[in-house]
Amino acid sequence: MTELDRYDALLTPEGQALLRELRGRDVSGAEALRLGTELRTRYPAQLVVDALGQQELRHRAAAKFDRAADMFLTRAGWEQASAEVVARHRAPRFAGASNLVELCCGIGGDLVALAADRHVLAVDLDPVHLWMARQNAEVYGVRANVTTLLSDVREVPLSGADAVFVDPARRTGRGRLRTGESEPPLDWCTALPVERMGIKAAPGLPHDAVPAGWELEFVAVDRDLKEAVAWSPALATAGARATLLPGGHTLVALEGEAVDVREPGEYLLDPSPAVTRAGAVEELARRLGAWKIDDRIAFLSTDRLVETPFARTLRVIDTRPWNQKRLPALLRDLDVGSVDIRRRGLAGDVDAVHRKLKLSGSRRATLVMTRVDDVPWGLVCVDP
């Protein structure tokens, strides 16, 4: 029995009955062993193994996909797929495209959003992932808009396409590739003969890795930086952009007056990593009337409370040059009993610092290890 035969077996009435029985259950750990033993008395052993594997992946993927409970997944496929909130944000860039080609479609994480209102040719070299892309398109009700093609993406004719989305692999059987490397390579992707293109990339992609005229969009979900997308000139709307989901807030890096650099004020702002990667920290400072505390570090400061989706705001209760020996006594004096440590621009072992504190106070604080005008600095902060 081939791997595809085993997945096909999950679509049979017997396979579907077994998946329904497992639906919503956490089948990890000892529960999987107990449940597997019981189910083998009623179902074929291989079917039980495959169904339990699918249920475990579905349970884990629930944070990424609204309909994970019905999807078909591999571990590599769902880990590399864009979260549904990201895919739905991205799809409107292709408005007006009626014949889109998705290269390296994987399990269909982007496909289900791209095919919502257009035809998509989904291409992948992995027959299992292509099978899953078809099934997941069915789960999301867009199967009629999808044609799949098992092929090396380098051999796909694009003459009829009016847009292309590419999600090149950033892992191989030997592990994760270095930042900027992918298969197929980024320079192959950007040279495709289609004007409207989007290319998914790692969030650490250097700005100069894409040709002039392309946009780099850095996407974060809550505070987690997830990915970058390179948009061709026909779809670009800026040079670099930070996007924060699920709110859909965006900030574009613009030229403007230089931002002041001076010591921290009453509040410290920690910009989203998407803002930092987009090079939009100074634009955020100009919008908020904030200043930088160091020319090369992304922290901002103000003397008034500001609320923004683009940064976490903390109230500074102590600020002084870094003195690790004095730190435990300082935190005791401030009645701090637990700390989160944020280190940026200052060398040091965060775990070692934490172990030496031996705190017993009643307050929770954030300890910031950083630099102020290139001087090692420490700030103790609390929520405003």
Side-chain angles (χ1 to χ4, degrees):
M1 179 180 286
T2 68
E3 189 175 7
L4 277 177
D5 290 335
R6 288 165 52 192
Y7 284 114
D8 280 333
L10 292 172
L11 296 181
T12 64
E14 187 177 39
Q16 290 292 288
L18 175 53
L19 288 172
R20 284 194 297 272
E21 197 168 333
L22 293 173
R23 185 181 175 88
R25 301 181 69 166
D26 181 356
V27 296
S28 59
E31 174 65 8
L33 181 61
R34 184 203 66 77
L35 192 57
T37 301
E38 189 274 323
L39 290 171
R40 285 185 181 88
T41 65
R42 296 183 285 118
Y43 294 98
Q46 187 62 63
L47 191 66
V48 171
V49 169
D50 293 335
L52 284 170
Q54 279 303 296
Q55 179 54 33
E56 181 183 3
L57 291 174
R58 288 172 170 183
H59 182 76
R60 293 186 178 191
K64 266 193 173 182
F65 302 107
D66 289 346
R67 303 184 190 180
D70 296 308
M71 296 176 71
F72 286 89
L73 310 159
T74 66
R75 186 177 306 277
W78 79 262
E79 286 179 349
Q80 295 178 61
S82 297
E84 186 173 333
V85 65
V86 178
R88 291 195 182 281
H89 160 76
R90 180 159 46 228
R93 282 273 189 136
F94 294 101
S98 59
N99 191 19
L100 187 148
V101 176
E102 183 184 1
L103 302 177
C104 310
C105 69
I107 63 165
D110 277 287
L111 177 64
V112 297
L114 294 171
D117 54 5
R118 64 179 60 84
H119 176 263
V120 179
L121 172 63
V123 185
D124 206 282
L125 190 57
D126 184 332
V128 170
H129 280 173
L130 203 63
W131 181 93
M132 291 182 172
R134 288 193 295 270
Q135 304 308 318
N136 294 334
E138 184 72 35
V139 168
Y140 277 84
V142 297
R143 180 67 183 88
N145 289 347
V146 173
T147 302
T148 58
L149 175 64
L150 181 66
S151 175
D152 185 323
V153 295
R154 293 175 175 83
E155 300 173 1
V156 177
L158 299 174
S159 57
D162 56 9
V164 170
F165 179 72
V166 195
D167 183 3
R170 290 173 296 285
R171 300 181 188 179
T172 67
R174 297 185 298 275
R176 188 181 295 273
L177 297 173
R178 290 182 296 179
T179 298
E181 293 183 352
S182 64
E183 182 54 39
L186 183 61
D187 57 0
W188 180 88
C189 298
T190 58
L192 289 172
V194 179
E195 288 190 357
R196 289 184 285 183
M197 280 196 290
I199 305 168
K200 181 178 167 182
L205 185 73
H207 286 231
D208 60 4
V210 296
W214 285 64
E215 173 187 338
L216 273 182
E217 181 183 19
F218 296 91
V219 181
V221 178
D222 297 321
R223 286 285 300 182
D224 295 329
L225 182 61
K226 294 297 187 181
E227 61 190 56
V229 188
W231 297 106
S232 66
L235 295 178
T237 56
R241 176 186 301 276
T243 294
L244 277 58
L245 300 174
H249 307 286
T250 69
L251 183 66
V252 173
L254 299 173
E255 296 292 334
E257 293 183 1
V259 174
D260 286 346
V261 178
R262 56 183 191 266
E263 290 190 6
E266 187 174 351
Y267 294 94
L268 186 74
L269 280 71
D270 184 8
S272 162
V275 172
T276 304
R277 286 292 299 120
V281 171
E282 293 203 355
E283 176 61 22
L284 179 60
R286 286 188 286 268
R287 287 193 179 193
L288 299 178
W291 62 88
K292 300 169 72 173
I293 64 172
D294 186 277
D295 195 47
R296 294 179 293 178
I297 295 175
F299 287 124
L300 301 175
S301 189
T302 66
D303 279 328
R304 60 184 179 84
L305 177 62
V306 295
E307 295 184 1
T308 173
F310 298 109
R312 179 188 179 197
T313 301
L314 297 167
R315 182 167 63 86
V316 178
I317 60 173
D318 192 90
T319 173
R320 65 184 68 199
W322 179 252
N323 186 334
Q324 190 164 326
K325 292 182 179 179
R326 167 68 179 140
L327 188 59
L330 171 64
L331 294 177
R332 285 195 298 271
D333 291 344
L334 294 171
D335 192 30
V336 173
S338 63
V339 293
D340 296 320
I341 301 178
R342 294 280 287 121
R343 179 171 63 84
R344 186 178 294 165
L346 183 61
D349 186 332
V350 169
D351 291 334
V353 171
H354 215 289
R355 285 194 300 270
K356 293 177 180 179
L357 294 179
K358 299 179 181 179
L359 303 173
S360 60
S362 62
R363 304 173 79 182
R364 183 174 185 86
T366 298
L367 172 63
V368 179
M369 302 168 57
T370 188
R371 307 184 81 83
V372 171
D373 198 19
D374 207 31
V375 176
W377 207 270
L379 301 96
V380 183
C381 307
V382 295
D383 289 334

